[in-house]
Amino acid sequence: MLRAETRFTFHNVGQGLFYSGEIEFNDDKRFLFIYDCGSESKNAIEKAINDFSKETKKKEIDMLVISHFHNDHISGLNYLLNKYNIKIAIIPYFHPLLRLLIAILNQNQESWYYEFLANPVSYLLSREVERVIMIVGDSPDENNPNEENLPRRPDNLSDNDLVNIVLKEIDDKTKKEIVSNENLGGLNNKIKIYSHKGYITLKDYITLLEVWLFKFFNYESNKQLLDSLEKCLNENISNFSPNKVSEIIRNIEKYKGKIKKCYEYIKKQFLLKDFNNTSLVMMHTPINHDTLKVKGVFYLICPFPIFFSSNLVDYFCEEFLYLHREFYYRCKDIINRTCKYICSAQALTGDIDLNYDYGSFKKHFSYFQEKLLICQIPHHGSYKNWNKDFVEDFKIPIHVASAGKFNKYGHPSKKVFEDIIKNYSIPIIVDENKWFTLKAEITWSGRDDRAGFR
């Protein structure tokens, strides 16, 4: 029997997001990954990284995923890179013109932030990240992974590899455009560009069994928006060209008035308040093979009760066991209420707008419907990014909003929480003081001769 001890945490960073996952196998090998690492509070994110470092006692992060480039989601990146070696960094592809607008929307930040926006790949490689993967938005993936057909011993993996990348290559024309836009000068083994179609799997070190699945999604770029933006910039900045964007970002103060003018023009023309719809979503789950079935025992850990609805507390209070300042909750009952079978998948949504093209989002992640246990509520619980069809379609028991305790945006929205509660799900807030952790013991049991165990 294969067993894994897992720990997944939404850290207490306030208005931002810092999520970590740790999967430890029988042989004491650990896979450590992070999704976003930022906050509007420098003290909050650095304290959270320090606490995380003390807990993990590991100097390598196997996989870092960045949802998008707003400062409140990556403000801790430079600090994190000072403490850890990163084996794989996965980022969404943002056209340089969009990064220019992101720079104007995130002014007065530290210099490293603008270096990152100027050329994310070069920045990450200069910080000794071993590999960078850019994921380009695409149409929804019609071919969702079939657990019964996932390879047990992938031929293309060496014993030292952790992950098997089964993402689709983008077409040559798009690849050449990106290489030119990013001044990459060509691709090598350290830089890969993929569509979001496909997935990444994690293997167990000893059996080489594929045990964990990661699937990604981001919306396709709006070419009409990019064309209109480039036209406006050409009209307002002399001798402008996309190849000069990196230089302009590094000198953002000099150009901010003209860029702001184009941003206002684009916002009015396309009815956009920001560009959160380009966030890279990641869902992950243990893999349930045809002959090896997944079982899990789950515990939720928080510092203290954090529901704002007294009715919700009354409804669930009998399920909780309070112990000092922590409470533990066995998920068996809520899973049985909302899932057809054991569900242990998690959805990390960044700041994605679920109203932009929800149909594509739903189709792409159809494999995860009724498998999700926990979801990060998009954009800190913003109502404008929320779509109540999401909670109804995916039937997720637990929803987590990461937001500042006294933030000026009104996050999370009470309307979002009302939608969640009406669907018999639990909404939870993490802020500067409150964190949320899911601990689980996952076992794969049954007979699989090719995996080398029973």
Side-chain angles (χ1 to χ4, degrees):
M1 181 172 67
L2 176 62
R3 182 174 63 87
E5 296 284 344
T6 64
R7 182 183 180 94
F8 307 101
T9 299
F10 292 86
H11 295 271
N12 49 318
V13 296
Q15 192 71 15
L17 181 63
F18 176 29
Y19 170 97
S20 65
E22 186 174 352
I23 305 169
E24 183 173 347
F25 297 102
N26 295 11
D27 53 358
D28 295 327
K29 296 287 187 179
R30 289 188 296 165
F31 181 81
L32 188 63
F33 67 95
I34 285 175
Y35 180 89
D36 281 355
C37 182
S39 172
E40 288 189 352
S41 167
K42 182 178 179 180
N43 290 337
I45 187 61
E46 290 185 358
K47 181 181 183 302
I49 292 172
N50 288 335
D51 291 342
F52 169 72
S53 180
K54 291 175 185 177
E55 290 175 1
T56 58
K57 298 177 181 178
K58 187 179 177 183
K59 295 301 181 183
E60 276 190 342
I61 292 170
D62 297 292
M63 187 170 76
L64 168 66
V65 181
I66 295 174
S67 69
H68 64 298
F69 299 162
H70 285 183
N71 184 64
D72 62 332
H73 285 253
I74 63 168
S75 64
L77 178 60
N78 194 60
Y79 192 75
L80 184 77
L81 292 172
N82 288 335
K83 286 182 169 288
Y84 286 93
N85 298 319
I86 310 295
K87 301 193 78 172
I88 300 175
I90 301 176
I91 62 175
Y93 174 64
F94 281 83
H95 192 281
L97 297 179
L98 290 184
R99 299 205 303 271
L100 189 58
L101 294 189
I102 293 171
I104 207 66
L105 292 171
N106 292 265
Q107 296 183 49
N108 304 315
Q109 305 301 330
E110 296 180 62
S111 60
W112 72 262
Y113 176 70
Y114 299 106
E115 283 295 326
F116 173 82
L117 287 181
N119 195 315
V121 172
S122 294
Y123 172 83
L124 291 169
L125 293 178
S126 73
R127 298 303 308 273
E128 299 184 353
V129 172
E130 293 182 21
R131 281 195 289 170
V132 178
I133 292 174
M134 286 195 291
I135 295 185
V136 180
D138 203 341
S139 58
D141 194 350
E142 301 286 350
N143 299 312
N144 273 300
N146 185 337
E147 290 175 329
E148 295 183 357
N149 296 324
L150 283 170
R152 288 171 178 72
R153 289 179 179 273
D155 295 332
N156 61 331
L157 288 181
S158 71
D159 288 343
N160 294 322
D161 285 327
L162 290 170
V163 296
N164 183 27
I165 298 171
V166 196
L167 293 168
K168 181 184 176 183
E169 296 274 356
I170 61 173
D171 62 88
D172 289 339
K173 180 182 177 181
T174 303
K175 185 181 292 186
K176 288 178 181 177
E177 288 177 358
I178 293 174
V179 169
S180 175
N181 290 339
E182 301 303 320
N183 298 315
L184 296 177
L187 297 176
N188 55 46
N189 289 333
K190 289 189 173 183
I191 311 166
K192 296 293 183 182
I193 307 173
Y194 295 105
S195 158
H196 65 203
K197 292 183 177 180
Y199 49 86
I200 290 176
T201 57
L202 169 67
K203 72 167 185 177
D204 169 51
Y205 291 79
I206 293 179
T207 65
L208 300 184
L209 182 74
E210 301 273 355
V211 293
W212 217 273
L213 178 76
F214 299 89
K215 191 168 176 64
F216 303 88
F217 174 86
N218 51 343
Y219 292 125
E220 294 182 83
S221 295
N222 187 328
K223 190 175 186 307
Q224 187 179 0
L225 182 151
L226 292 173
D227 290 342
S228 295
L229 177 57
E230 184 172 358
K231 180 181 178 182
C232 180
L233 291 168
N234 276 319
E235 293 171 353
N236 286 275
I237 300 176
S238 60
N239 300 317
F240 175 82
S241 75
N243 290 331
K244 291 185 177 180
V245 168
S246 295
E247 177 188 342
I248 294 172
I249 289 175
R250 293 186 179 100
N251 297 279
I252 195 68
E253 285 296 315
K254 179 180 177 181
Y255 297 95
K256 66 180 182 181
K258 295 176 180 179
I259 300 170
K260 185 74 172 176
K261 180 180 178 180
C262 289
Y263 169 70
E264 295 297 337
Y265 166 73
I266 292 297
K267 182 173 74 170
K268 182 178 180 180
Q269 184 180 5
F270 291 90
L271 303 176
L272 294 175
K273 293 187 70 176
D274 51 39
F275 298 93
N276 289 322
N277 60 335
T278 51
S279 278
L280 181 65
V281 176
M282 180 178 80
M283 295 193 186
H284 67 88
T285 184
I287 296 171
N288 210 12
H289 288 286
D290 54 344
T291 56
L292 297 171
K293 300 304 180 184
V294 176
K295 293 183 180 179
V297 179
F298 302 89
Y299 298 90
L300 308 187
I301 305 172
C302 300
F304 39 81
I306 49 182
F307 307 107
F308 67 73
S309 168
S310 60
N311 291 334
L312 186 66
V313 173
D314 292 340
Y315 185 79
F316 287 110
C317 66
E318 293 181 1
E319 306 284 356
F320 286 93
L321 170 66
Y322 293 91
L323 179 61
H324 302 295
R325 295 183 68 242
E326 292 186 333
F327 68 81
Y328 297 82
Y329 174 60
R330 282 189 183 271
C331 293
K332 179 180 177 182
D333 291 338
I334 193 168
I335 290 172
N336 288 341
R337 268 199 302 272
T338 57
C339 302
K340 291 182 178 179
Y341 45 85
I342 287 292
C343 55
S344 52
Q346 298 180 53
L348 303 166
T349 60
D351 281 0
I352 197 168
D353 185 349
L354 290 176
N355 298 295
Y356 181 73
D357 185 3
Y358 176 69
S360 292
F361 175 92
K362 179 182 175 182
K363 184 182 292 184
H364 186 80
F365 285 120
S366 60
Y367 168 80
F368 284 85
Q369 283 189 261
E370 299 187 349
K371 292 186 179 184
L372 285 164
L373 175 63
I374 293 174
C375 174
Q376 173 238 327
I377 305 173
H379 200 188
H380 320 286
S382 167
Y383 186 67
K384 84 175 184 62
N385 291 58
W386 177 250
N387 188 329
K388 68 178 182 180
D389 291 342
F390 175 55
V391 67
E392 294 172 358
D393 291 337
F394 284 81
K395 299 177 174 60
I396 307 167
I398 300 162
H399 295 254
V400 180
S402 180
K405 190 171 184 180
F406 301 108
N407 73 79
K408 60 185 177 182
Y409 315 103
H411 297 159
S413 165
K414 289 187 178 180
K415 290 182 179 179
V416 172
F417 273 34
E418 286 171 2
D419 285 343
I420 293 168
I421 294 168
K422 286 176 182 177
N423 280 273
Y424 303 101
S425 299
I426 301 175
I428 290 175
I429 303 172
V430 296
D431 57 27
E432 295 85 348
N433 301 315
K434 304 164 192 164
W435 73 93
F436 173 81
T437 294
L438 170 71
K439 293 181 71 175
E441 179 183 300
I442 307 293
T443 57
W444 289 262
S445 60
R447 176 173 181 145
D448 192 298
D449 296 331
R450 285 171 291 179
F453 70 90
R454 295 183 181 183

